[in-house]
Amino acid sequence: MDDTDSKRQGLAALFFGSIGRRAAGFVEQLAFLYRLILDSLYWTFIAPLRGKGLRVGSSFDEMVKIGVNAIPIVVLISFSIGMILAMQSAYQLEQFGATIFTADLVAVAHTRELGPLMTAIIIAGRSGSGIAAEIGTMKVGEEIEALQSMGFNPVKFLVVPKLLALAIMGPCLTVIGDLVGIGGGVFMAVFSLDLGFERYVTRTIYALIFKDLVTGLIKSLVFALLVGITGCYMGFTVKGGAEGVGRNTTMSVVVSIFLIILADAFFTALFYYLW
Amino acid sequence: MDAAAKKENAIEIHNLVVSFGSHRVLTDVDMQVRCGETTVILGGSGCGKSTLLRHIIGLRKPQGGRILVKNRDITTMDEDQMSTLLRKVGVVFQSSALFNSLTIGDNVALPLREHTRLEESTIQIMTRIKLDMVGLSGFEHYMPSELSGGMKKRAAFARAISMDPEILFCDEPSAGLDPIVAAGLDELIFKLKKALKMTIVVVTHEMESMYKIADRVVMLHEGKVIFSGPPEEFRVCEHPRVRQFVERRADHYGEDEIGRYARALTSES
Ligand SMILES: Nc1ncnc2c1ncn2[C@@H]1O[C@H](COP(=O)(O)OP(=O)(O)O)[C@@H](O)[C@H]1O
Ligand SMILES: [Mg+2]
């Protein structure tokens, strides 16, 4: 056996070895994610019934952090989006002399799509990254192990309050975003498009149907939970100190937004064809 | 055997095997910790001391062997049983591991708040007593980030003993601290054992601190226990690795390379 032969074999071993390791690592990660989701469900729905308690106090704290504190930015962005949407719609609709339908477009587009989407992206940037950073820092500082060593379950302590808060505040923020976004449309309609306040609002109310609101809110609930699970997963899987925390925090935002868009496509199609 | 041998074992470890992937860290560990004694686990950096500790408090499941804490096998326990057992165990982590989002007082009070139904006023008093014991009275309202390394360690002690545990674990209590603070922590461990009759397990690689606090010494090397006995015997033990530890001699690696490099440098000029 000559030198190049053994070298080739070495390379092959290296190549397949690395594929094998990656595959094993991937399976391990999936298993961890599966456990995280199962444990979250258990500690949210089953454990409280068995008298193991739910951390209501920290859930409220999280609701303030994730929900209440996000209201200003949600308001600001939704109002701007509402205005932008009104102007863009009017630009097209003017050509048909149907500017008043701006009201329909803003209302439907905001409640069905942009309200849930923009709010979810804000939550991903604000809270998803925060969750990943918080849990990641605790992991690096042995705080998670300290919790466990006191007989506390980290999922019950850290994950469930955040997911509960997200599940409640995601739709709440979306409702606020929807209202403010439509308000942005009203603002443009009155001050720039000369549509008249009453006419525009009547048209909006006429255009809005229950289904649009509900599908939007269902989406927002799913988006918020995706952000939460992603943030927690990224937090718990931090490796290697502060640098790892930074890396996983960034990853949590990127992955959250990716998953939000995927889920958005899925649910939009679902509602389009089925409802 | 003498009276000491009749003492009950707080912890018994039989044939413990631990590996991370293909890396076997502990190959076959057998050791006992007796009730009411201070056992010091010695060993070089990276030899698996913290890993051993993690397994004794059930944070990970071993690949083989049995761990008995208070005569009950923790490797087969479910989470509820483990949680109950852990209420009688306190742990001081290598990096203190205080909850950075809580004040020192809340850190110490957390186990009491979650595991007991005591009145808030009682919890406050107990918290203050524990902080007094470690010399941190008046620091309840400080955040962990506002304390020095030594103070953090002491706060971690206060938190670890807040539930009056039967067994206390300390992972390298004096690592990274100046000798005065380190001596203070040894003093603290000694007092806790005397006053509260705790079983204490301390991981360290500092010989001085070991001689001060240890009733028994267990030395780990290459995944096995190479010495187990009282400190006087440790001092005279003939095992080469133990001698090396006692006499503070370095492993011989890299010296030839350094010499060769130095010669190459000098011959070039
Ligand atoms: N989570 C882990 N994953 C992989 N290897 C680990 C992990 N924790 C520890 N190790 C390895 O186990 C060995 C022992 O580590 P540790 O118990 O921290 O040593 P010590 O506390 O004695 O300094 C080291 O070689 C380390 O690389
Ligand atoms: Mg260690």
Side-chain angles (χ1 to χ4, degrees):
Chain A
M1 185 142 50
D2 63 24
D3 203 36
T4 52
D5 225 28
S6 66
K7 208 180 261 169
R8 201 174 301 139
Q9 264 185 1
L11 276 177
L14 214 63
F15 181 66
F16 289 111
S18 104
I19 285 186
R21 260 194 303 282
R22 260 165 208 236
F26 184 67
V27 169
E28 213 170 278
Q29 285 169 2
L30 276 188
F32 179 77
L33 183 62
Y34 177 70
R35 269 290 307 276
L36 181 63
I37 293 171
L38 275 194
D39 281 1
S40 306
L41 289 172
Y42 173 80
W43 286 101
T44 312
F45 296 112
I46 299 172
L49 295 179
R50 295 195 179 159
K52 291 190 193 172
L54 191 67
R55 293 180 58 78
V56 179
S58 10
S59 303
F60 275 108
D61 291 347
E62 294 291 343
M63 278 162 70
V64 172
K65 272 202 288 187
I66 292 168
V68 179
N69 295 349
I71 291 175
I73 181 78
V74 167
V75 165
L76 190 68
I77 290 189
S78 301
F79 195 79
S80 313
I81 295 274
M83 290 201 308
I84 295 167
L85 209 54
M87 285 187 281
Q88 297 281 31
S89 322
Y91 171 71
Q92 286 288 308
L93 292 168
E94 254 166 15
Q95 300 176 12
F96 311 104
T99 325
I100 185 60
F101 287 105
T102 302
D104 296 51
L105 245 164
V106 171
V108 173
H110 221 285
T111 50
R112 278 185 74 100
E113 183 59 44
L114 285 168
L117 187 66
M118 292 315 294
T119 310
I121 289 177
I122 294 169
I123 293 177
R126 253 190 108 257
S127 307
S129 60
I131 290 170
E134 181 187 333
I135 295 180
T137 310
M138 291 184 74
K139 170 94 190 281
V140 171
E142 293 183 307
E143 286 179 52
I144 305 271
E145 292 189 329
L147 270 182
Q148 288 174 306
S149 79
M150 294 177 191
F152 302 140
N153 183 292
V155 172
K156 175 190 172 189
F157 249 72
L158 300 171
V159 177
V160 171
K162 293 184 198 323
L163 291 183
L164 274 181
L166 280 165
I168 295 168
M169 293 324 273
C172 286
L173 285 174
T174 303
V175 169
I176 294 175
D178 287 349
L179 288 175
V180 175
I182 291 171
V186 173
F187 180 83
M188 281 317 288
V190 173
F191 290 101
S192 165
L193 305 173
D194 289 327
L195 289 172
F197 179 76
E198 249 167 72
R199 221 173 125 223
Y200 187 94
V201 171
T202 323
R203 187 70 222 165
T204 301
I205 292 169
Y206 177 76
L208 266 186
I209 55 171
F210 183 66
K211 183 180 128 180
D212 296 340
L213 264 174
V214 172
T215 53
L217 291 185
I218 292 174
K219 283 207 272 188
S220 75
L221 173 68
V222 174
F223 295 167
L225 289 178
L226 282 176
V227 170
I229 289 285
T230 309
C232 292
Y233 175 82
M234 287 297 164
F236 280 116
T237 50
V238 162
K239 286 212 172 70
E243 189 204 349
V245 176
R247 194 169 43 229
N248 279 28
T249 303
T250 313
M251 277 293 279
S252 84
V253 178
V254 175
V255 172
S256 291
I257 291 179
F258 174 69
L259 291 177
I260 287 170
I261 304 280
L262 272 191
D264 196 10
F266 175 77
F267 277 95
T268 307
L270 195 73
F271 293 138
Y272 181 73
Y273 289 111
L274 294 184
W275 190 11
Chain B
M1 285 264 242
D2 55 351
K6 288 199 201 93
K7 269 193 193 169
E8 220 182 304
N9 284 333
I11 301 167
E12 283 180 34
I13 299 174
H14 301 289
N15 309 106
L16 185 71
V17 179
V18 174
S19 40
F20 294 102
S22 58
H23 176 35
R24 184 147 288 193
V25 178
L26 302 176
T27 46
D28 181 14
V29 171
D30 273 277
M31 61 175 278
Q32 286 86 39
V33 173
R34 291 182 190 160
C35 280
E37 285 192 351
T38 301
T39 302
V40 170
I41 301 177
L42 283 175
S45 286
C47 77
K49 306 184 295 293
S50 301
T51 304
L52 177 60
L53 217 55
R54 278 199 186 97
H55 283 81
I56 302 178
I57 54 179
L59 295 181
R60 298 182 87 250
K61 295 272 180 230
Q63 274 65 45
R66 296 196 309 148
I67 302 171
L68 306 179
V69 177
K70 299 206 293 170
N71 290 321
R72 296 173 58 204
D73 191 348
I74 65 159
T75 54
T76 56
M77 273 189 190
D78 66 24
E79 202 179 329
D80 289 342
Q81 292 170 317
M82 202 64 221
S83 169
T84 312
L85 180 80
L86 285 173
R87 287 174 203 195
K88 289 282 149 213
V89 170
V91 187
V92 180
F93 284 88
Q94 197 164 348
S95 60
S96 297
L98 295 170
F99 302 119
N100 281 310
S101 55
L102 302 179
T103 63
I104 298 303
D106 287 340
N107 261 285
V108 178
L110 184 72
L112 295 168
R113 290 209 177 108
E114 297 295 328
H115 284 319
T116 70
R117 295 188 186 284
L118 296 172
E119 301 256 341
E120 183 56 29
S121 57
T122 317
I123 290 179
Q124 295 283 343
I125 293 168
M126 291 179 72
T127 304
R128 214 163 308 136
I129 292 173
K130 300 294 149 126
L131 284 175
D132 282 349
M133 285 171 72
V134 300
L136 282 178
S137 20
F139 283 91
E140 286 98 319
H141 301 296
Y142 280 63
M143 297 305 282
S145 57
E146 296 169 322
L147 299 188
S148 70
M151 289 158 97
K152 273 188 204 165
K153 262 284 159 48
R154 280 188 279 157
F157 268 98
R159 184 178 68 181
I161 60 171
S162 69
M163 296 275 291
D164 293 318
E166 292 169 17
I167 310 176
L168 179 68
F169 295 96
C170 318
D171 196 353
E172 310 218 9
S174 44
L177 300 174
D178 69 60
I180 299 170
V181 175
L185 286 171
D186 292 341
E187 204 67 26
L188 179 63
I189 292 171
F190 201 72
K191 273 194 287 188
L192 288 177
K193 180 194 141 193
K194 274 276 160 66
L196 306 175
K197 313 250 178 309
M198 276 180 206
T199 307
I200 301 180
V201 178
V202 181
V203 165
T204 188
H205 52 237
E206 283 179 40
M207 301 300 293
E208 231 174 292
S209 135
M210 182 278 279
Y211 285 127
K212 217 179 301 173
I213 58 177
D215 294 314
R216 289 181 74 78
V217 183
V218 171
M219 179 147 178
L220 284 182
H221 179 54
E222 290 177 348
K224 285 199 175 67
V225 172
I226 55 166
F227 175 87
S228 170
E232 308 82 61
E233 280 177 30
F234 184 76
R235 208 191 295 256
V236 295
C237 176
E238 291 300 327
H239 191 290
R241 187 72 189 180
V242 174
R243 294 260 40 94
Q244 197 182 350
F245 224 82
V246 172
E247 288 157 19
R248 223 172 158 273
R249 274 184 285 109
D251 277 330
H252 296 278
Y253 52 73
E255 281 174 13
D256 297 347
E257 282 70 20
I258 294 172
R260 214 171 298 140
Y261 184 62
R263 275 194 298 281
L265 280 184
T266 45
S267 64
E268 252 173 43
S269 56

